């Protein structure tokens, strides 16, 4: 709720150590927190207990110093230094993309009020001017700052934020003012505003931190929240939320609605329609029983957000299977980003994964998003994940646990909504035993394992794969080849393909480049090492 890990949620299936050096638990980078401060442990089938680990400043439960192991109750507040953790909270906590501000979404039913006034001519003029300025902004974040400036001038709020709708109705805090604000509002208020298409307002209790030398207490204060719906392309896309101590008047609500209507397309740009290539999903070739089973598992994995680890030799089609998981799930409209971990230069690997701020690296003249940010709302494939160096394994584990990205040179983390699929041609469990790959990261990535056997073990897939490669390469290279002769087919079937599907694709491309004019690829058009496998007549 408060502190360096605000917005982070953790499942408590196993004991969770909380502390400044708790890399495998909940790490709080705070000098007031001991290296291993306290532990939350399962107690029975559903409950948990809290135990202090001899911390310097003590663990505080609901404002009282913890003196013995205590069973936790839903809604309990745990205070450690600058942090306040809530056990089974009746709310959700989000961190804004600015990395500093926090939004608490309560689950309490709202009792909002609204008005039926139309905006004044002056309000419409201000909304029109804002629409033009926001449309010219270089990014939604820049447009959000313009909108917040306009709202601040018109309403004199104490805090405001821009929310965007994510996958399956989730809410994301794009930006907030002032930087570092902690704002509480009802999730149902936002939902009602979007459903009704109206500006709504209601009183909402705000949680305010009061830190001292040992811990942070939570004080409650009264305020009023205004929520104006945002639309893009005629569909609900987000909301403008404004907080202040005094109630909002009808004229102010009408003005806020006009400003939100003008700024919606710039704050929440509509998702671009998929290109023809992206829209045509072609399932992987799966004629063999082994590939049919792999595709069945991939289809099941696509329906949930379980982590997937794809194993198999080089060239077996791990990236194609990862793309199938992406295209078959709810993240299909989002980006698919593939990053080869073995190709990362050590000095740039962290920035490639997590991005960097201006000046964080030599020649970094501006901020740059990393692979996680580029895959926002979609899927990130970490190919050859076993080749990540040890320091990056720690940071990757923290990112997967907290769903927060920390840019190189950045002040704080901000949330990302990304599904991670990992792939490797090496047996990672052996790397775990050898101490070169973290065991906790291995199990975090290995929620569901899908193995792709080599092509020599699934000969039923060879000819269908060859036909697919030919159909892809033929138009690109401008050749009018009808197919393969029977002799070429027999040769292709007989070869063991140590390089798997990648070697097969290269053989077809070489044949197209070097073969004389004709309608069919014959065995003589194939590479010598493939012809060597030609069966005897």
């Amino acid at each position: 709720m408060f502190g360096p890990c605000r917005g982070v949620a953790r499942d408590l299936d196993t004991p969770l150590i909380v502390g400044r050096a708790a890399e495998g638990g909940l790490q709080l980078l705070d000098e007031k927190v001991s290296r291993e401060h306290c532990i939350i442990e399962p107690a029975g089938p559903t409950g948990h207990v809290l135990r202090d680990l001899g911390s310097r400043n003590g663990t505080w439960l609901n404002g009282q110093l913890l003196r013995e192991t205590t069973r936790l109750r839903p809604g309990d507040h745990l205070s450690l230094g600058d942090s306040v953790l809530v056990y089974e909270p009746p709310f959700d906590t989000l961190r804004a993309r600015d990395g500093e501000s926090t939004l608490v979404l309560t689950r309490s039913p709202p009792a909002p009020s609204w008005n039926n006034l139309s905006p004044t001519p002056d309000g419409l003029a201000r909304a029109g001017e804002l629409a033009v300025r926001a449309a010219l902004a270089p990014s939604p974040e820049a447009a959000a700052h313009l909108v917040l400036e306009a709202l601040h001038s018109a309403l004199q709020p104490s805090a405001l934020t821009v929310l965007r709708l994510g996958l399956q109705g989730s809410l994301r805090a794009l930006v907030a003012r002032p930087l570092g604000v902690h704002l509480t509002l009802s999730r149902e208020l936002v939902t009602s505003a979007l459903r009704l298409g109206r500006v709504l307002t209601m009183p909402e209790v705000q949680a305010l931190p009061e830190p001292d030398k040992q811990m942070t207490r939570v004080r409650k204060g009264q305020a009023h929240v205004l929520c104006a719906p945002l639309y893009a392309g005629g569909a609900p896309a987000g909301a403008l939320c404004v907080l202040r101590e005094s109630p909002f008047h009808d004229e102010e609500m009408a003005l806020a609605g006009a400003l939100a209507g003008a700024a919606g397309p710039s704050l929440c740009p509509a998702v671009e329609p998929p290109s023809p290539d992206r829209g045509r999903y072609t399932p992987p070739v799966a004629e063999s029983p082994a590939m049919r089973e792999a595709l069945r598992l991939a289809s099941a994995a696509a329906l949930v957000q379980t982590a997937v680890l794809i194993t198999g030799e080089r060239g077996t089609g791990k990236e194609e299977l990862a793309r199938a998981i992406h295209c078959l799930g709810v993240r299909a409209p989002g980006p698919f980003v593939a990053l080869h971990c073995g190709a990362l230069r050590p000095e740039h690997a962290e920035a490639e994964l997590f991005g960097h701020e201006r000046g964080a690296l030599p020649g970094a003249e501006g901020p740059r998003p990393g692979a996680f940010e580029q895959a926002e709302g979609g899927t990130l494939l970490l190919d050859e994940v076993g080749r990540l160096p040890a320091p990056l394994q720690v940071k990757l584990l923290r990112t997967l646990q907290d769903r927060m990205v920390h840019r190189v040179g950045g002040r704080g983390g901000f949330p990302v909504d990304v599904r991670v699929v990992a792939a490797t041609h090496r047996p990672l469990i052996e790397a775990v035993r050898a101490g070169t790959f973290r065991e906790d990261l291995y199990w975090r990535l290995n929620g569901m394992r899908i193995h792709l056997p080599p092509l020599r073990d699934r000969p039923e897939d060879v000819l269908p794969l060859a036909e697919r490669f030919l159909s892809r390469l033929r138009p690109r290279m401008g050749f009018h080849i009808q197919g393969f002769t029977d002799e070429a087919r027999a040769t292709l079937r007989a070869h063991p393909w140590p390089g798997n599907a990648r070697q097969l694709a290269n053989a077809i491309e070489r044949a197209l480049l070097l073969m004389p004019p004709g309608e069919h690829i014959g065995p003589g058009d194939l590479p010598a090492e493939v012809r060597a496998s030609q069966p005897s007549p």
Side-chain angles (χ1 to χ4, degrees):
M1 187 175 184
F2 296 106
C5 283
R6 62 197 179 280
V8 171
R10 288 291 181 84
D11 294 326
L12 297 174
D13 301 327
T14 58
L16 178 71
I17 295 178
V18 184
R20 197 174 70 251
E23 289 184 351
L26 184 62
Q27 187 176 22
L28 302 178
L29 302 180
D30 179 357
E31 289 301 319
K32 298 178 185 177
V33 175
S34 299
R35 292 177 58 83
E36 291 190 347
H37 198 106
C38 65
I39 185 171
I40 303 172
E41 301 172 292
T46 57
H48 297 84
V49 295
L50 173 66
R51 178 163 55 93
D52 186 76
L53 296 177
S55 62
R56 183 176 70 255
N57 289 320
T59 301
W60 299 74
L61 180 62
N62 300 322
Q64 301 296 318
L65 182 64
L66 186 71
R67 300 187 182 279
E68 59 184 15
T69 301
T70 303
R71 191 176 186 89
L72 292 172
R73 297 171 299 175
D76 278 348
H77 285 60
L78 290 62
S79 297
L80 304 81
D82 291 336
S83 297
V84 176
L85 286 60
V86 184
Y87 176 73
E88 294 188 6
F91 53 78
D92 299 309
T93 304
L94 309 177
R95 192 183 299 193
R97 281 190 61 85
D98 58 31
E100 302 288 339
S101 307
T102 311
L103 177 68
V104 173
L105 294 172
T106 68
R107 300 167 193 163
S108 56
S113 58
W114 59 87
N115 78 90
N116 295 312
L117 287 182
S118 299
T120 64
D122 177 65
L124 290 174
R126 294 169 71 173
E129 179 185 353
L130 178 63
V132 173
R133 294 178 62 203
L136 296 175
S139 67
E141 288 81 1
H145 284 294
L146 292 173
V147 174
L148 295 186
E149 285 179 5
L151 285 170
H152 194 276
S153 173
L155 305 178
Q156 290 82 48
S158 56
L160 23 70
T161 186
V162 177
L163 301 181
R164 291 175 63 173
L165 275 179
L167 289 173
Q168 298 179 316
S170 62
L171 289 171
R172 311 297 302 279
L174 181 63
V175 67
R177 277 197 172 188
L179 188 65
V181 70
H182 191 280
L183 190 155
T184 302
L185 71 151
S186 166
R187 179 186 290 274
E188 288 300 319
L189 179 70
V190 180
T191 302
S192 298
L194 290 170
R195 185 180 69 251
L196 299 173
R198 314 182 73 154
V199 179
L200 302 179
T201 183
M202 63 176 284
E204 184 72 65
V205 175
Q206 301 296 306
L208 306 172
E210 288 188 341
D212 59 28
K213 293 182 179 180
Q214 294 179 310
M215 47 88 78
T216 297
R217 301 179 189 276
V218 179
R219 178 174 62 84
K220 294 182 178 181
Q222 293 292 330
H224 293 264
V225 175
L226 177 148
C227 182
L230 295 170
Y231 288 84
L240 296 178
C241 297
V242 184
L243 173 77
R244 75 181 189 192
E245 292 183 3
S246 60
F248 293 94
H249 304 301
D250 289 350
E251 294 80 3
E252 293 174 320
M253 296 173 66
L255 176 59
L259 294 176
S266 299
L267 294 176
C268 308
V271 178
E272 296 181 4
S275 64
D277 290 338
R278 181 173 157 193
R280 288 197 301 266
Y281 163 66
T282 304
V285 169
E287 296 296 325
S288 63
M291 275 303 295
R292 285 200 295 269
E293 174 62 12
L295 193 56
R296 184 188 71 82
L297 293 174
S299 301
L303 302 178
V304 294
Q305 298 303 307
T306 303
V308 177
L309 177 64
I310 305 175
T311 60
E313 294 181 5
R314 288 191 176 101
T316 49
K318 296 187 289 294
E319 180 173 340
E320 188 174 12
L321 192 69
R323 192 178 294 274
I325 294 172
H326 170 75
C327 291
L328 292 172
V330 296
R331 296 182 178 271
F336 176 85
V337 177
L339 185 70
H340 194 292
C341 299
L344 298 176
R345 294 169 57 187
E347 63 271 24
H348 292 155
E350 184 178 2
E352 289 292 331
L353 265 174
F354 306 110
H356 63 74
E357 297 293 351
R358 179 180 180 181
L361 300 171
E365 297 180 355
R368 179 180 180 274
F372 271 91
E373 290 180 70
Q374 296 170 32
E376 174 70 25
T379 303
L380 173 61
L381 168 65
L382 297 178
D383 200 3
E384 297 304 340
V385 69
R387 297 181 64 180
L388 280 177
L392 274 189
Q393 292 179 28
V394 174
K395 191 163 184 179
L396 175 60
L397 175 64
R398 183 181 177 191
T399 300
L400 296 176
Q401 289 175 331
D402 299 346
R403 297 187 176 276
M404 296 273 184
V405 160
H406 295 258
R407 282 183 174 181
V408 178
R411 292 180 56 189
F414 55 87
V416 288
D417 180 20
V418 175
R419 178 180 195 161
V420 173
V421 176
T424 179
H425 80 282
R426 300 176 177 178
L428 275 188
I429 192 62
E430 292 185 9
V432 170
R433 296 188 184 115
T436 59
F437 197 83
R438 293 183 64 101
E439 184 176 7
D440 46 8
L441 178 57
Y442 172 75
W443 292 115
R444 173 68 63 171
L445 296 171
N446 191 18
M448 175 187 288
R449 179 172 171 267
I450 304 178
H451 181 69
L452 294 183
L455 199 52
R456 61 182 173 274
D457 293 343
R458 45 187 177 103
E460 303 95 331
D461 294 328
V462 172
L463 291 182
L465 274 172
E467 295 285 0
R468 176 168 294 185
F469 292 144
L470 179 60
S471 66
R472 289 178 180 175
L473 292 167
R474 192 166 40 200
R476 188 188 312 169
M477 302 176 66
F479 291 98
H480 301 285
I481 306 298
Q482 300 301 314
F484 302 91
T485 64
D486 291 341
E487 294 81 2
R489 288 174 173 272
T491 301
L492 292 171
R493 279 195 298 264
H495 190 64
W497 301 107
N500 294 298
R502 190 172 301 153
Q503 182 192 7
L504 176 58
N506 291 343
I508 305 304
E509 185 171 7
R510 179 187 181 278
L512 288 174
L513 284 171
L514 301 179
M515 66 179 292
E519 293 186 352
H520 293 83
I521 295 176
D525 302 314
L526 298 172
E529 66 272 15
V530 178
R531 294 198 303 272
S533 303
Q534 186 174 359
S536 303

